[in-house]
Every structure is written in structure tokens, then in C-alpha cells.
Amino acid sequence: MCAIEIFIGPETLLQQSSSVAAKVRPDRYSEGEVGDAIDFHQWKCVRTVNGVRIFEDVSDAKSGKGVLVKAVSVIEASADAVFEVILNLDQHQRYEWDMLTGDLELLDSYDGHYDVVYGTCDSKYLSRWKSNRDFVFSRQWFQGQDGTYTILQLPAVHKKRPSRSGYQREKINPSTWEIRDLNTPTESNTARCLVMLMLEIQEGWCRWKKSHGSKFEKTIPFALLSQVEGLKEYIAANPAFKFEHSATVLQSRVSDGAISSSEYEDSEVQDEFYDAMADDDSSSSSSSEESDDDHEKTKKVKVKLRNVSWAISSLSMMRASDPDASKDLDRFVTPINIDPSQFHGSLNKGKDENDSNCWTSPSGTGFMVRGKTYLKDSFKVMGGDPILKLISVDWFKVDKAIDGISLHPRCLVQTEAGKKLPFILVVNLQIPSKPNYSLVLYYAADRPINKSSLLGKFVDGTDLFRDSRFKLIPSIIEGYWMVKRAVGTKACLLGKAVTCKYLRQDNFLEIAVDIGSSSVARGVIGLVLGYVTSIVVDLAILIEAKEEADLPEYILGTVRLNRLRIDTAVPFEA
């Protein structure tokens, strides 16, 4: 699956001046976490400690709620190696870098991507404590299709470790680790990665950032932030990490979703991701045949433009909404008028942004797609209005995952109005839970599909081809920060992450997306469902373009889901 990682970073303005044209160092990196949809956190560095920068999110400073902070550092090791050190519970190793959770015991493990851990901490390490403390927390981890590792840590309870005499049960702050490799000079044998630990702090923070003498330095949040510094120093003291690209294959790094044939595998895995308002932070390595000049040219076009307002104004003239955007539909056929009042789903369409338990269809300007010259310069442009019109959404409760919903006699596709539509794309998102759910999106075309277009090849192509091209971009517009980190804002090739089934008949194509086919996706969805009534999420779907004739890419459809209520799902009658 793709992390719906839901990822943020400072929106730094890089003016396109002489500095852009300057020679870019092979080891150049950018700190901002890449994503495919806009997020408006504003990070300010408030302290630096031994090469670790401490940031505060100042975008919501006056809300009166807890503050979001993060510790960030470059570590001289591969992301693989750092990831394994963080997950390792061995006491001998953790004593060398982790002042808080050095004594850990594995209580339970699920699916190779999730575990529950018990730990103790002697009061002498945090002198504010008058007694020994213990804690239980869960860890869930996954690796995105761009190679970034994410670890979610949340306080938990477990029957194997109830409260014990002599210890006070402590609630560990929710936190997230993110680890991603950085580009290094081709002649270098060393590895480098960017490590970030983010958490929410309720009290004590403001005094500490102004004064080194604050009692905050004796708290759990401070001890958590200090883990990044401890990790950096521990790895620096062990030179072998600099050259280690771990050969250990953890289950967390093996996709448990559908795997495509090599015929359709990407030669540039990094290109499965693209920024909502900027290019990727990491560029793919040049091939052995690429000249030094070509390599430098490739590096230059990777310079990032991170300020949202600048990017909008700069790219508005190049958004994917020109007349050629209709090339996927038959331009020789007169468009029909689609009357939304003829189509009704079990989930209501929202009247405004404040409405709840409803859907709307936003524009595609919050997402970035491959531009006309992408194969030459990797340049991406803002998405335009969707090609297909979202006409209805169903929110079903089901006993088990249902394929072929479009064939049901009561389905919109089988109505008289539905049969008159030139083409309908049905996306059935199958959500694992107790009970299970299906979110069904119906997108209509006002003209027949152009058979020779990329969409035409996708609609009538093989399942293997469809798996290699069907993309989804998520973006949580409103919701708990931890859920945002879990879901992400990175594009995902669904057929490579989870099992997709396709049904092509008459005037429709139905895509059944089995989210439960991936243990990672199940874990993330479980977290999302716990907060779903307070979440506003945007989704964009598109077909990935890999050939010049198919560029620029266009967004097929979008949907915004406003604070869904689980209990309003309608039972599906087979």
C-alpha cells in the first residue's frame, strides 16, 4: 500500500534565479518531506543540539491546543540500517542510544508490520519522577513506494501487562519516525539518510525553547526528542553503519499486495511519486551510460519550488486543463448533458464545506501531474478539472467484500439513466473492518472513450496493464495529525500495493480495490476509521503516463469525503 503519508514540511520559497541555474552538488538534499498534496504546516527551527534541529509548527500557535514539534537530523547510514536500529528491542544496543525506552519487551506482533511493546524506566533518569514508571505502546511501520520508512507509535493497553505494584503507568506521547535515504555522490561508498521524529506536546514546551534550565528536560517528550540525537551519536560511533546497506529482509519491507510483472515495472521507482506543489525531494540515480553533463542537467531540474502561493501563481499557466485534456474522450462526438439529479447514492452530496457525512468533488489543482515535457525534464504541472464527473457515491455496510456491484439490479449503472451514459468508471474501495464497508464512487463521461487514448487502453486493456497504471493520491485536509502522517500525501500505484479486480462490461469499468489484501493498508485504515468522523479527505485518481504521446497526465476524477459517520452506512442487499 502507499502510505496515505500525509507528509509535511516547511514551504520554503525558492525564487527561480541564478541560484537555480548554478551547479547543483551531487550530495544536495532538501529537508522538506515530499508529498503529492498541499499541507499548510509551517515549521520554525527553535533549537539546535549536536547536529539535531528541533522544529515547532507555528501555523496553529494560537489554537490553545498542544504544539506539534519534530527533531530532524542527517545520519551517516542507510535508511534500511537506521530503520532496523529503531525497531530493534535488544537491551544492549538500546542502552547505547535510547535514554527512555532502553528496557523493552515484545508483548505481541501482528502481520509483520505491527507490534505491542512493554517498557520500564528507572526514575533516576528523569528526576521529576518520584517512582519507577512503565508504559505500553504499539508500533506500526511500513515502507512507501519511494523507499521512505514510517513508524507510528501510540500508547496502548495489553492484557499481558496490567498495572504492577511499584510502578506508575505512563502514557507515551503519540509520535512518528520517518527515515529516507539521501542522494550521495556516485563515487562515494557511504550512505546518508534524513531522520525525523515528530510528536505532540501539551505543556512545558514554551518555557524550554526560551530557557535551557526548564524542567521540560526531565519529561518524556524531551526524552523522545533526544532519541534522534542519541541515534545520531550511536551510529557515528560505529563506522560500519556508514557502509552498511542491510541485507536483512524484514517482512515490513516486502510488499504483501499484488505484484506486477516485470513487463510493467517502473524503471524509476521514485517516479511513482510527485509533489502536489513541487517535484520529488529525491531524484533517481543516473544510469551507467549517462554522461556527467546529462547527470548535472537532471539534477538541476530537480530543484524544488516549495512555496505554495508562488507555485500556484507560477504554474497556473501550465496546469493540465488545456483543450488537449479531452484527448481521452472522443472529440468527434457531441457531449451530452449529465443531469446529477437523475443519480442518487446512499451518501448525500454536501451543500457546503461545513456539511458533514457527505461528499463533494473538488478541482484537481491541489495535485501535481506529469507535464508535457516530463520525459525530458521531469517537470510536473498542476492538475486541472477532472475529465470524468463524479455523479454519485454509495456508502455500504457488507458482511464480506463484494465484487461486481455494478451488476446489481439496483445499482446506478443498471438504471435507465445510467445505461444512457457514454461511459461510467466505478471505483469500489473495499474497507476491511467489523463489519466490512464499501465506498463506491461513480464517475461519468459525457462522451465515449477515445479507444486509442491512454484511458481507452486502460479501460479495454489487460489487468496487468491496469495494475501498472492506476494511481490514487490521498490528502487529509482536516484531521488529527497522527492520521495525516499515517495516510500521507503520496501517490500510490494501487495495483502494486493491494489487489485490484476489474470488471469491464457494456458502458462501464468497475475497479474493486481490496484494501484488506495488504496488512499494512489494513492497519492504516483501522487508524483512520477511529477518527473518521473528524476527517476531511480528498482523493484523486488518474492513469499514469509513461510515454510522450500520453503526456501530459490528466486527473480522471476527485472526491472529497467530509466527516463520514460509520453508522450511516447502508446494508448492501445482495
Side-chain angles (χ1 to χ4, degrees), residues 336 342-343 391 406-409 411-424 506-508:
I336 68 169
Q342 293 183 302
F343 307 100
I391 57 174
S406 301
L407 300 177
H408 193 279
C411 179
L412 174 154
V413 177
Q414 301 301 326
T415 64
E416 287 301 316
K419 292 179 180 179
K420 293 178 180 179
L421 292 173
F423 175 74
I424 305 174
D506 304 323
N507 67 332
F508 71 88

Side-chain angles (χ1 to χ4, degrees), residues 53-64:
R53 289 170 296 159
I54 310 296
F55 288 86
E56 173 188 3
D57 177 20
V58 296
S59 61
D60 197 26
K62 298 181 180 179
S63 65

Side-chain angles (χ1 to χ4, degrees), residues 164-369:
R164 56 186 289 196
S165 177
Y167 284 82
Q168 182 172 334
R169 181 60 49 90
E170 191 70 30
K171 186 176 181 181
I172 297 290
N173 297 58
S175 60
T176 63
W177 287 94
E178 287 161 27
I179 313 107
R180 60 181 174 88
D181 282 313
L182 298 173
N183 291 326
T184 56
T186 53
E187 65 274 11
S188 173
N189 292 323
T190 62
R192 300 163 73 235
C193 67
L194 190 70
V195 178
M196 183 197 73
L197 177 64
M198 180 183 298
L199 67 151
E200 185 177 0
I201 297 173
Q202 297 295 333
E203 58 183 19
W205 168 257
C206 292
R207 291 189 297 273
W208 175 78
K209 70 178 183 178
K210 296 177 182 178
S211 170
H212 284 278
S214 170
K215 294 180 180 179
F216 177 71
E217 295 183 4
K218 301 298 183 180
T219 65
I220 284 181
F222 180 81
L224 287 171
L225 289 173
S226 298
Q227 287 179 323
V228 176
E229 182 184 354
L231 191 65
K232 178 182 176 72
E233 294 300 320
Y234 166 67
I235 289 178
N238 292 270
F241 278 111
K242 293 184 180 181
F243 309 99
E244 177 183 346
H245 289 270
S246 177
T248 303
V249 180
L250 297 182
Q251 186 172 350
S252 60
R253 278 192 255 140
V254 180
S255 172
D256 55 0
I259 300 178
S260 301
S261 165
S262 59
E263 178 183 358
Y264 295 113
E265 287 292 340
D266 278 314
S267 60
E268 299 178 74
V269 178
Q270 303 284 5
D271 278 343
E272 294 172 3
F273 303 87
Y274 41 89
D275 274 355
M277 300 315 304
D279 204 341
D280 286 334
D281 270 16
S282 55
S283 57
S284 56
S285 300
S286 58
S287 65
S288 57
E289 294 81 14
E290 184 181 20
S291 69
D292 291 340
D293 289 341
D294 288 339
H295 178 70
E296 290 303 320
K297 177 184 286 187
T298 300
K299 291 293 184 180
K300 289 177 184 178
V301 300
K302 298 294 184 179
V303 175
K304 312 305 179 292
L305 304 175
R306 297 215 164 268
N307 182 273
V308 173
S309 60
W310 190 93
I312 290 175
S313 62
S314 298
L315 299 175
S316 60
M317 299 302 294
M318 295 173 284
R319 53 188 292 190
S321 58
D322 57 83
D324 195 37
S326 60
K327 65 182 180 181
D328 286 302
L329 305 180
D330 192 336
R331 67 186 66 189
F332 299 107
V333 175
T334 302
I336 68 169
N337 179 42
I338 300 177
D339 183 4
S341 64
Q342 293 183 302
F343 307 100
H344 303 283
S346 58
L347 188 64
N348 293 327
K349 183 175 182 179
K351 298 177 181 178
D352 54 50
E353 294 183 357
N354 296 321
D355 209 351
S356 295
N357 197 42
C358 62
W359 64 270
T360 56
S361 183
S363 72
T365 55
F367 306 95
M368 292 297 283
V369 298

Side-chain angles (χ1 to χ4, degrees), residues 474-494:
S475 174
I476 292 189
I477 305 302
E478 178 183 319
Y480 180 44
W481 74 271
M482 193 76 170
V483 180
K484 287 188 177 184
R485 305 307 293 189
V487 176
T489 55
K490 293 183 180 180
C492 174
L493 284 171
L494 285 177

Side-chain angles (χ1 to χ4, degrees), residues 86 145 149 178 192 203 239 318 332 351-352 388-389 395 472 500 531 564 569:
I86 294 173
Q145 288 177 333
Y149 288 106
E178 287 161 27
R192 300 163 73 235
E203 58 183 19
M318 295 173 284
F332 299 107
K351 298 177 181 178
D352 54 50
L388 306 180
K389 182 180 181 63
W395 180 222
L472 179 142
C500 294
Y531 295 88
L564 293 189

Side-chain angles (χ1 to χ4, degrees), residues 114 116 135-139 153-157 170-175 480 482:
Y114 182 95
V116 181
F135 40 81
V136 178
F137 63 95
S138 65
R139 305 186 302 177
Q153 299 180 156
L154 290 164
V157 294
E170 191 70 30
K171 186 176 181 181
I172 297 290
N173 297 58
S175 60
Y480 180 44
M482 193 76 170

